[in-house]
Amino acid sequence: MKKLLTATAASALLAGPALAEDVTLGVLFGFTGPIESLAPAMGSGAEMAMAEVTESGKLLDGSKVTASRADTGCIDNGLATSNGERMIADGVAGIVGGDCSGVTGAILQNVAIPNGMVMISPSATSPGLSTMEDNGLFFRTAPSDAREGEVMADILKDRGINSIALTYTNNDYGKGLADAIQSSFEAAGGEVTIVAAHEDGKADYSAEVGALASAGGDILVVAGYLDQGGLGIIQSSLDSGAFDTFGLPGGMIGDSLPSNVGPDLNGSFGQIAGSGGEGAEKYFAMAEAAGFDGSSPYSPESYDAAALFMLAMQAAGSTNPAEYGAKIMDVANEPGEKIYPGELAKGLELLAAGQDIDYVGASGVELIGPGESAGSYREIEVTDGENKTVNFR
């Protein structure tokens, strides 16, 4: 990994922009697999931040930033790890990713830690990532599922739901989220009639749905993926009449689910990491102008993940992960002038002048504890075949 020029040679940078160091950031998402419908807008969000910074010419005296995309398959540890290793070999300065929790942990342990590479995930939410020994290399702009479990329990109780059946995709993400939902809902006085795993990629979920139906419950909560097993569970439930209303955690929120299921999904509800306010509205408008849906899940968080990399590099005066990694928490939090989407040039200028910034971004960034988002959520209800935001929590 190249470093910025030493102080002795730094003045040579003023001689011409050709000496500025070009930067490549990896974008390592599940462009295939069980959340493949979400990945394009996530990738576009991250790349929009890079284009904004490149166009400004303000990063490290004119450095250009480009993206190197690769696939995790969401649940394919081998693919994700090999693509992460290729990114390291190609000289990326940081990795925006992974996306799903299991592959993110695999990339962190097998690629990032051995190579001293910083990762910022916009969507890996497993509570297990909070306690993983990461040598200060892992951050995330989406909140932990421990927080989502509390939010979902509140939503269920507020809607008068007293009992749920609960199914989860059989991996780190699904198990951690199911545990969080169960413990939070039971602590709030709710009953969980059954907790059962399901596998992704099956053609027939009638046996799983039969067991869930036998246990009963006011609704079925599906802690799965919207483009594979979670979709199959819902379709089988509707076909058999087992359940007609579904609780939808983050991995189930996306335009493809109501599109694939149809009107029978109306009335189902859930939550996804996200915030309202000035930052979100600015981002949605920027994304619309760029030709993609900025309200798609984890797209705002992806923009923010890429932005944090570049702002931290500016604060450190270096593209070396060993140097800029320690600045990520600084640029993400108070004190300092608030920076919103479309204002990355302003943030870079302030940092170059030695001033502090508080990056708010598109998702209301605030990093706590081991470098993870403090977390706010959009409460979603499916109405007229669309996911509508009905509240913020």
Side-chain angles (χ1 to χ4, degrees), residues 191-204:
E191 178 191 5
V192 181
T193 63
I194 184 175
V195 182
H198 64 261
E199 303 295 336
D200 283 302
K202 292 182 66 174
D204 181 6

Side-chain angles (χ1 to χ4, degrees), residues 126-141:
S126 170
L129 292 167
S130 300
T131 54
M132 188 175 289
E133 290 294 331
D134 62 10
N135 297 342
L137 296 170
F138 180 68
F139 304 84
R140 49 182 167 176
T141 50

Side-chain angles (χ1 to χ4, degrees), residues 143-145 147-156 159 173 177 181 219 221-223 246-254 268-274 297-298 376-382 387-393:
S144 163
D145 288 331
R147 169 69 178 141
E148 183 171 2
E150 297 170 356
V151 170
M152 180 153 229
D154 290 343
I155 291 171
L156 291 166
R159 288 174 175 261
Y173 161 71
L177 178 55
I181 293 170
I219 67 167
V221 174
V222 185
F246 304 93
L248 306 172
M252 296 297 295
I253 303 293
S268 293
F269 59 88
Q271 66 285 322
I272 185 79
Y298 303 116
S376 59
Y377 286 82
R378 289 189 287 148
E379 182 179 346
I380 301 291
E381 183 168 325
V382 183
N387 292 318
K388 300 289 182 65
T389 299
V390 296
N391 197 6
F392 291 96
R393 295 181 180 253

Side-chain angles (χ1 to χ4, degrees), residues 28-56:
L28 193 49
F29 296 154
F31 294 102
T32 65
I35 64 160
E36 61 186 15
S37 64
L38 306 183
M42 292 170 64
S44 294
E47 289 162 6
M48 187 165 70
M50 298 179 209
E52 182 183 337
V53 165
T54 295
E55 186 177 344
S56 78

Side-chain angles (χ1 to χ4, degrees), residues 214-237:
S214 294
D218 293 341
I219 67 167
L220 173 60
V221 174
V222 185
Y225 293 126
L226 77 168
D227 293 327
Q228 281 197 8
L231 171 62
I233 290 282
I234 286 177
Q235 288 180 324
S236 182
S237 296

Side-chain angles (χ1 to χ4, degrees), residues 69-147:
R69 281 193 181 195
D71 189 18
T72 68
C74 173
I75 53 174
D76 189 335
N77 287 357
L79 175 67
T81 298
S82 64
N83 279 335
E85 289 170 342
R86 180 180 59 76
M87 285 182 168
I88 299 291
D90 289 346
V92 299
I95 295 176
V96 182
D99 53 346
C100 300
S101 295
V103 293
T104 299
I107 299 162
L108 178 59
Q109 290 182 312
N110 299 316
V111 180
I113 292 173
N115 290 283
M117 181 56 61
V118 173
M119 296 171 59
I120 306 180
S121 172
S123 58
T125 55
S126 170
L129 292 167
S130 300
T131 54
M132 188 175 289
E133 290 294 331
D134 62 10
N135 297 342
L137 296 170
F138 180 68
F139 304 84
R140 49 182 167 176
T141 50
S144 163
D145 288 331
R147 169 69 178 141

